[in-house]
């Protein structure tokens, strides 16, 4: 294959075949994908099913703690898992810019393969398009996926109830600040790495060992503040959050004040919010902290009747203010 992606690779002809076999099948191969049929036949999934899709356009494509390939797997795996499901199969579609380095593509696809292995999912069907220089920036990836729901009932953003505890699985803002500082060429004393990771194995443990989980959601774009607002609105309840309980790494706090960002609005790609009845909170925290994906888990607040759809933040000085949703786009191409 050539050193750079050329338009021929998206032609559907011989060059496409070569790219599929020598790149995608080589890294991602499995009995479903290797058949190279028009679609993949799934015969072992029992309903109800959870299905999700996401498109990844992150800039830069390689960043501290990850790359667009692993992120594209983690993002969809995590969204499927948030319904209380075990993700099983993924599709992936690539839009490649003419001129993309073949070595970069190789690294990205190999990283997708590793992320899929760790998450226990298979990429069973896919598509590749190549567009002329400038029509996209290097590489965009769409992944869709499907998995079996094991939670009964399935957690939902509309299920938060007064008396529930609000937990978060670890430090906030890492992904957003890692991307932002890398993009601006700023380095901090302590390396800030993206938290991009698969959460599905921990979610399965929580569902099997705790159950009774009302809400699971990963605070990606818009950050923790926006996601909390979405859930409070969907559930028509008020959230009471204590700001000094929200875990933010010192380096992220410092980087944010330097760059003028609020970590509560920065994207996360490996954290989740878990809302469940207060009496199960300690058990859930114990399980979360025993797992590498939830080491920094803490309770940050609770759900109460109050004003529907509002998030009240108790500041470290003891004052109270309303925590709003993100206005507009803080950081384009963050994921
Ligand atoms: Mg999500």
């Amino acid at each position: 294959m050539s050193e750079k992606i050329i338009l021929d690779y998206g032609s559907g002809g011989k060059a496409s075949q070569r790219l599929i076999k020598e790149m995608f099948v080589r890294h991602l191969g499995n009995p479903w994908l290797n058949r190279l049929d028009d679609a993949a036949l799934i015969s072992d999934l029992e309903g109800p099913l959870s299905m999700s899709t996401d498109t990844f356009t992150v800039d830069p494509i390689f960043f501290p703690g990850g790359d667009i390939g692993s992120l594209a797997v983690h993002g969809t795996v995590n969204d499927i898992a948030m319904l209380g499901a075990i993700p099983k199969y993924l599709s992936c579609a690539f839009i490649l810019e003419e001129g993309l380095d073949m070595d970069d593509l190789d690294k990205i696809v190999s990283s997708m393969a590793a992320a899929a292995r760790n998450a226990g999912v298979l990429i069973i069907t896919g598509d590749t398009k190549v567009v002329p220089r400038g029509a996209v920036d290097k590489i965009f990836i769409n992944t869709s996926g499907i998995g079996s729901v094991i939670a009964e009932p399935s957690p939902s953003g509309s299920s938060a109830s007064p008396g529930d505890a609000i937990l978060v699985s670890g430090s906030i803002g890492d992904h957003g600040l890692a991307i932002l500082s890398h993009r601006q060429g700023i380095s901090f004393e302590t390396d800030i790495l993206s938290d991009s990771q698969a959460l599905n194995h921990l979610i399965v443990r929580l569902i099997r060992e705790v159950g009774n989980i009302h809400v699971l959601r990963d605070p990606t774009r818009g950050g923790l503040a926006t996601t909390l607002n979405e859930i409070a609105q969907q559930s028509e309840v008020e959230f009471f959050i204590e700001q000094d309980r929200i875990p933010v790494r010192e380096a992220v706090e410092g980087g944010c004040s330097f760059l003028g960002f609020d970590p509560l609005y920065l994207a996360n790609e490996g954290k989740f919010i878990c809302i469940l009845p207060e009496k199960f909170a300690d058990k859930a925290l114990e399980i979360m902290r025993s797992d590498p994906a939830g080491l920094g888990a803490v309770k940050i607040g609770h759900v109460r009747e109050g004003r529907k759809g509002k998030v009240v933040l108790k500041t470290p000085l003891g004052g109270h203010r309303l925590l709003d949703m993100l206005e507009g786009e803080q950081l384009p191409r963050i994921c």
Side-chain angles (χ1 to χ4, degrees), residues 52-209:
S52 190
T53 189
D54 207 338
T55 302
F56 298 84
T57 63
V58 67
D59 171 37
I61 54 177
F62 300 101
F63 48 82
D67 57 68
I68 192 171
S70 52
L71 184 64
V73 171
H74 296 153
T76 292
V77 159
N78 291 345
D79 276 344
I80 295 168
M82 294 304 139
L83 252 58
I86 303 177
K88 194 84 190 277
Y89 299 115
L90 258 54
S91 71
C92 69
F94 296 88
I95 302 176
L96 309 177
E97 184 190 18
E98 177 191 14
L100 175 71
D101 270 329
M102 196 63 85
D103 280 351
D104 284 350
L105 182 61
D106 190 76
K107 277 185 218 149
I108 289 164
V109 179
S110 147
S111 165
M112 289 184 88
R117 262 195 308 277
N118 288 337
V121 297
L122 293 171
I123 295 172
I124 58 171
T125 187
D127 180 54
T128 313
K129 296 287 188 310
V130 180
V131 296
R133 236 171 255 277
V136 292
D137 184 14
K138 298 181 198 74
I139 176 170
F140 289 176
I141 304 176
N142 171 274
T143 52
S144 297
I146 192 166
S148 293
V149 176
I150 56 164
E152 173 56 42
S154 175
S156 161
S158 54
S159 302
S161 305
D164 283 355
I166 302 171
L167 317 180
V168 63
S169 65
S171 64
I172 289 303
D174 301 38
H175 177 75
L177 199 68
I179 297 288
L180 189 67
S181 50
H182 191 267
R183 218 185 266 172
Q184 305 208 341
I186 300 165
S187 58
F188 299 103
E189 243 170 74
T190 319
D191 277 347
I192 296 163
L193 301 181
S194 165
D195 58 354
S196 176
Q197 64 179 332
L199 298 166
N200 54 316
H201 300 305
L202 173 53
I203 296 294
V204 167
R205 283 192 60 201
L206 280 174
I207 285 158
R208 292 210 166 123
E209 295 172 42

Side-chain angles (χ1 to χ4, degrees), residues 52 54 75 78-80 82 216-221 227 230:
S52 190
D54 207 338
N78 291 345
D79 276 344
I80 295 168
M82 294 304 139
L216 290 170
R217 189 165 291 178
D218 52 345
T220 51
R221 267 182 308 177
T227 307
E230 284 168 7

